[in-house]
Amino acid sequence: MKTILVTGGAGFIGSHLSESLLTRGDRVICVDNFYSSQRENVSHLLENPNFRLIEHDVTLPMMFECDEIYHLACPASPVYYQHNPVYTVRTNVSGSINVLDLAKKLRIKVLLTSTSEVYGDPEVHPQPETYVGHVNPIGPRACYDEGKRCAETLFFDYHREYNVDIRVARIFNTYGPRMHPDDGRVISNFIMQALQHQPITINGDGSQTRSFQYVDDCVRGLIALMDNADIVGPVNIGNPEEYTIKEMAEIVLKNIPQTQSKIVFTPAVVDDPKQRKPDITLARNILQWSPKVPFENGLKRSIPYYRSFLSNTK
Ligand code: NAD
Ligand code: UDP
């Protein structure tokens, strides 16, 4: 039985990861300051004697006895990470240094959840891990994109300079239950809008693409990477099923047939990547991992979460 520290463990992906680790038989120390999440995400885990919830900001140093660290703490929705951009950079840089210092001191393995955003507005499609990216360093997304790029730099420098055992995952757009209804990301927005008969707000003309991964596949990929001895990364963890945002909106509408919502087009957002799709050859070959949940299936599993959120808030 290992004791595993999960920073950002009360967030959307972190809560599913914590659950999977507990189910596997590990102890979980969940560290979160609820900057972009709600306690309810982990309230069902509080009764479990192997789960500990600690309110702490990772920009401050930390000392917890543990055997492994998954470092997720960082807002992931553009709405949240652009709300206080300097704090987003601080979370990525100071937070990663604090986590890496802990891993160095305890001589334990530490995994970073980096992002496909390190590829920026990619000129290579699909994106392999060898692509170094096309990021605007001074735009409104830079606090997140460059913050994560610097976090990756720190991970690799601690690895080379101090021999810290690292893993770096580059996660592509992930969705599912517990992504907060007001999170601002596209899937939660479209489902909430459709359930409430509100306009479905497409930014720009909707021709930009994303490839959507169900959260269970993501968690399986993160654990496979952490447990694999042969690779430090970076490794893309995503589902190559690619849709334009307009196609995706139509699929959401099809799966909520009672909705009276109609699509509306709102102004395009600055620096919005035009296309995104992971090349997952590396994960397939080295981790023997690939996503299992097709998009429409994952959507069907997600909609009830938002429906019950709405009925509980009535
Ligand atoms: P989320 O916002 O739901 O979770 C992030 C968690 O980190 C939240 O619980 C938040 O309160 C916590 N947090 C933020 N700043 C903190 C700080 N300074 N100290 C302590 N806790 C802090 O987002 P998510 O979608 O679950 O993302 C989790 C991780 O995965 C993030 O690192 C994100 O960059 C990465 N990621 C997610 C996606 C995705 O599509 N969901 C894609 C790429 C990468
Ligand atoms: N998007 C949209 N309407 C929304 C929210 C997002 O059209 O209400 C678009 C957004 O401009 C982007 C895509 O959907 O092109 C994915 O956005 P999200 O914020 O989910 O993720 P990211 O941009 O970080 O990939």
Side-chain angles (χ1 to χ4, degrees), residues 85-144:
V86 174
Y87 183 66
T88 299
V89 176
R90 202 190 298 280
T91 292
N92 274 307
V93 177
S94 304
S96 293
I97 289 176
N98 289 329
V99 160
L100 284 160
D101 280 341
L102 180 60
K104 177 176 165 228
K105 186 168 176 172
L106 299 176
R107 297 177 183 281
I108 58 171
K109 221 187 311 182
V110 55
L111 178 147
L112 171 70
T113 53
S114 185
T115 168
S116 53
E117 289 277 332
V118 300
Y119 302 123
D121 189 6
E123 295 151 309
V124 170
H125 194 74
Q127 296 81 51
E129 292 83 353
T130 46
Y131 178 50
V132 294
H134 180 227
V135 173
N136 174 6
I138 58 168
R141 299 176 86 93
C143 58
Y144 183 71

Side-chain angles (χ1 to χ4, degrees), residues 78-238:
V79 176
Y80 278 86
Y81 70 63
Q82 291 176 24
H83 174 67
N84 188 341
V86 174
Y87 183 66
T88 299
V89 176
R90 202 190 298 280
T91 292
N92 274 307
V93 177
S94 304
S96 293
I97 289 176
N98 289 329
V99 160
L100 284 160
D101 280 341
L102 180 60
K104 177 176 165 228
K105 186 168 176 172
L106 299 176
R107 297 177 183 281
I108 58 171
K109 221 187 311 182
V110 55
L111 178 147
L112 171 70
T113 53
S114 185
T115 168
S116 53
E117 289 277 332
V118 300
Y119 302 123
D121 189 6
E123 295 151 309
V124 170
H125 194 74
Q127 296 81 51
E129 292 83 353
T130 46
Y131 178 50
V132 294
H134 180 227
V135 173
N136 174 6
I138 58 168
R141 299 176 86 93
C143 58
Y144 183 71
D145 300 6
E146 297 288 16
K148 286 286 187 182
R149 286 168 70 95
C150 187
E152 287 197 14
T153 305
L154 285 162
F155 268 67
F156 277 85
D157 281 337
Y158 270 71
H159 179 57
R160 283 185 290 255
E161 199 172 338
Y162 304 121
N163 218 13
V164 173
D165 195 2
I166 61 158
R167 301 287 183 276
V168 174
R170 289 185 181 153
I171 302 176
F172 283 63
N173 295 65
T174 302
Y175 69 97
R178 290 195 219 123
M179 179 183 280
H180 196 269
D182 299 327
D183 178 275
R185 280 177 277 186
V186 69
I187 301 237
S188 44
N189 273 9
F190 285 3
I191 295 176
M192 287 296 284
Q193 289 165 342
L195 290 174
Q196 297 175 98
H197 310 289
Q198 292 167 355
I200 306 288
T201 53
I202 292 185
N203 300 336
D205 64 6
S207 63
Q208 70 271 36
T209 71
R210 292 293 186 275
S211 305
F212 295 102
Q213 160 176 246
Y214 189 65
V215 64
D216 289 1
D217 284 329
C218 176
V219 166
R220 238 184 348 99
L222 296 179
I223 294 175
L225 175 58
M226 178 66 112
D227 291 349
N228 190 289
D230 301 327
I231 188 165
V232 295
V235 178
N236 289 338
I237 301 290

Side-chain angles (χ1 to χ4, degrees), residues 248-259:
M248 200 276 276
E250 281 155 2
I251 297 172
V252 171
L253 289 174
K254 189 181 108 192
N255 281 278
I256 306 183
Q258 73 282 13
T259 188

